Amino acid sequence: MIIWPDTADLKTISMAFVNPISCIGMCNIVKHQQPQNVLISAAASQIGKMMVSSLRKKYPILPIYGLNRSNNKSDVLSKIGITETILIEDPPAAKLK
């Protein structure tokens, strides 16, 4: 059960439910498939950081790589246990919009 104030917006409420449930599901995939490493796209997003933190606690030696569009989040990701942050850029078509 999730209790939230009447003033909370739908986006915040959904993140309190959807992100943790998605994270649990993805961690279960890692548990069953036992990969040699993991790559997380949008690693600096809320769910990305949740994944890094959860996987690091369960699998302390598992290499976890994260894709990120901004280099300024690398320190935050390192502190929560990411092995390496891979900086990516938006495709040229996305920059034109």
Side-chain angles (χ1 to χ4, degrees), residues 19-36:
N19 285 356
I21 296 299
S22 298
C23 183
I24 289 168
M26 288 186 269
C27 286
N28 280 334
I29 290 170
V30 171
K31 177 182 174 183
H32 292 294
Q33 293 193 358
Q34 300 177 345
Q36 293 182 357

Side-chain angles (χ1 to χ4, degrees), residues 3-74:
I3 300 171
W4 60 84
D6 293 337
T7 57
D9 62 296
L10 186 57
K11 181 179 177 182
T12 303
I13 294 166
S14 65
M15 285 189 340
F17 178 75
V18 173
N19 285 356
I21 296 299
S22 298
C23 183
I24 289 168
M26 288 186 269
C27 286
N28 280 334
I29 290 170
V30 171
K31 177 182 174 183
H32 292 294
Q33 293 193 358
Q34 300 177 345
Q36 293 182 357
N37 52 58
V38 173
L39 176 66
I40 299 173
S41 61
S45 67
Q46 291 299 317
I47 192 167
K49 291 186 282 191
M50 192 179 295
M51 284 288 303
V52 172
S53 182
S54 296
L55 288 171
R56 184 53 63 221
K57 287 176 186 171
K58 291 181 181 185
Y59 309 101
I61 61 170
L62 178 69
I64 303 171
Y65 300 95
L67 300 177
N68 196 27
R69 288 184 291 179
S70 173
N71 203 22
N72 63 356
K73 303 284 185 176
S74 295

Side-chain angles (χ1 to χ4, degrees), residues 77-95:
L77 293 169
S78 292
K79 287 178 184 175
I80 61 172
I82 203 155
T83 305
E84 184 179 343
T85 302
I86 301 164
L87 188 62
I88 59 171
E89 290 186 24
D90 288 331
K95 292 180 182 179

